[in-house]
Amino acid sequence: MNDIRRALLIVDVQNDFCEGGSLEVKHGEEVAHRITEYLRRLSNKYDLVVASKDNHRRPADHFSAHPDFRGTWPPHCVAGTAGSEFHPALDISFIDQIVLKGEYRGAYSAFDGRTQTNESLLELLESKEIEAVDICGIATDYCVSQSAVDSLDYGFPTRILLDLVTGVSEERSLDALEDLQNRGADLDYSTNQ
């Protein structure tokens, strides 16, 4: 993985985004298992492992009784509920820091989140002298892609681990990945690491 300081960002692998959750994404549980297998193999190659969580309290205009599934959604990942917890297939013992996002508004990027000590993800990465970011999680066409866009915009070489993500829409996910590649992201598989 080279000698640069690299972080792994695990995006929103939560119960509500996996099968049986209020906003389930196909293959969410499978991705949670695969991320754990990857961490067991290669977590020591990362200088920092961060996981983001939707942590909604009163997210204005994000929840709707009649969601359009683009900007408004059924209630999900409400703070303090089982749906907001990490999926049990994700081994959280490998996670160094958690960033919570979306308390009072919709937040797609993990860079909108803050740690328990109120540090932004960018501040955290900078404090750990991180030079590059690998991203995995849920959902490719929403929170994964927006987190990757922000990572690139902040100047981090960014890699999406294609076998460790899943999306709401296959078509939108492919479009998002193409856009990320055009922006300079690397698309790779965890088996190549």
Side-chain angles (χ1 to χ4, degrees):
M1 285 207 182
N2 303 334
D3 293 328
I4 64 171
R5 291 183 60 79
R6 185 174 294 274
L8 178 66
L9 174 57
I10 304 167
V11 178
D12 298 0
V13 181
Q14 296 169 260
N15 288 326
D16 271 349
F17 295 135
C18 294
E19 290 80 355
S22 66
L23 198 53
E24 67 179 72
V25 178
K26 191 175 180 184
H27 306 300
E29 182 174 348
E30 182 183 341
V31 163
H33 281 286
R34 280 191 260 140
I35 292 170
T36 291
E37 290 168 12
Y38 178 69
L39 288 166
R40 287 180 179 148
R41 232 176 6 101
L42 288 175
S43 66
N44 62 334
K45 300 292 184 184
Y46 289 100
D47 298 286
L48 179 68
V49 178
V50 182
S52 68
K53 285 176 76 174
D54 263 7
N55 191 52
H56 298 311
R57 296 184 186 279
R58 291 186 305 278
D61 302 325
H62 190 59
F63 290 169
S64 173
H66 305 286
D68 62 15
F69 295 93
R70 302 283 295 196
T72 59
W73 307 91
H76 61 276
C77 299
V78 174
T81 67
S84 72
E85 297 304 318
F86 289 117
H87 191 278
L90 178 66
D91 186 342
I92 61 173
S93 69
F94 291 102
I95 297 169
D96 300 312
Q97 286 282 346
I98 296 169
V99 292
L100 303 176
K101 61 187 179 69
E103 279 88 347
Y104 301 104
R105 62 182 179 84
Y108 296 94
S109 173
F111 284 86
D112 293 329
R114 300 196 81 74
T115 67
Q116 297 273 344
T117 57
N118 205 33
E119 194 174 26
S120 72
L121 177 54
L122 179 61
E123 291 167 337
L124 173 63
L125 295 176
E126 289 176 341
S127 73
K128 301 296 184 183
E129 300 179 342
I130 296 301
E131 300 168 273
V133 178
D134 288 356
I135 300 179
C136 60
I138 305 170
T140 311
D141 41 345
Y142 289 96
C143 296
V144 168
S145 63
Q146 192 56 59
S147 298
V149 166
D150 285 352
S151 180
L152 290 163
D153 285 350
Y154 285 123
F156 296 103
T158 301
R159 177 169 47 200
I160 311 301
L161 300 174
L162 295 173
D163 53 330
L164 303 182
V165 295
T166 189
V168 175
S169 158
E170 185 175 349
E171 182 180 350
R172 278 197 309 271
S173 293
L174 290 172
D175 289 345
L177 290 170
E178 182 179 1
D179 176 63
L180 289 170
Q181 193 168 37
N182 290 338
R183 290 172 183 262
D186 291 325
L187 307 183
D188 207 347
Y189 291 90
S190 68
T191 51
N192 294 337
Q193 304 313 303

